[in-house]
Amino acid sequence: MEAPQYVAARVQQALAEDARTHELGIRVDIRGDQLFLRGHVSGAEQRERLAQVAHEAAPELRVHNEIQVVEYTEPGEGEHLD
């Protein structure tokens, strides 16, 4: 059986290199036969794609998608300093 840290590294590499995701900021934790994804993304579709890629990279594990979707808005009026 492959060591958990190697599985986590393989999944993180898949998340970074897969054309569907290209995501570097997601944390992958392995606990027994459970894989946890944690972090923040800007859309629900990206969140789902990350779970799919993680499942493909480690199909033997149960994926828990704990990634939070946050809304990014355009910056407002610039701050004016005197």
Side-chain angles (χ1 to χ4, degrees):
M1 176 174 231
E2 194 173 15
Q5 62 268 27
Y6 293 123
V7 176
R10 184 176 74 234
V11 172
Q12 284 185 310
Q13 182 175 3
L15 297 177
E17 294 179 355
D18 192 285
R20 295 169 289 178
T21 54
H22 291 297
E23 192 69 53
L24 298 173
I26 300 301
R27 195 171 82 229
V28 177
D29 295 312
I30 308 292
R31 301 279 185 258
D33 65 347
Q34 312 288 307
L35 183 152
F36 296 87
L37 297 174
R38 296 185 178 104
H40 298 89
V41 294
S42 62
E45 298 84 14
Q46 180 71 346
R47 180 181 186 271
E48 294 307 315
R49 285 191 295 266
L50 288 162
Q52 180 63 35
V53 171
H55 174 72
E56 292 170 6
E60 69 281 5
L61 300 178
R62 183 164 180 244
V63 176
H64 297 275
N65 191 346
E66 298 180 356
I67 297 170
Q68 296 180 14
V69 177
V70 293
E71 186 175 323
Y72 294 103
T73 58
E74 290 293 320
E77 192 175 307
E79 183 178 5
H80 182 62
L81 301 175
D82 291 322

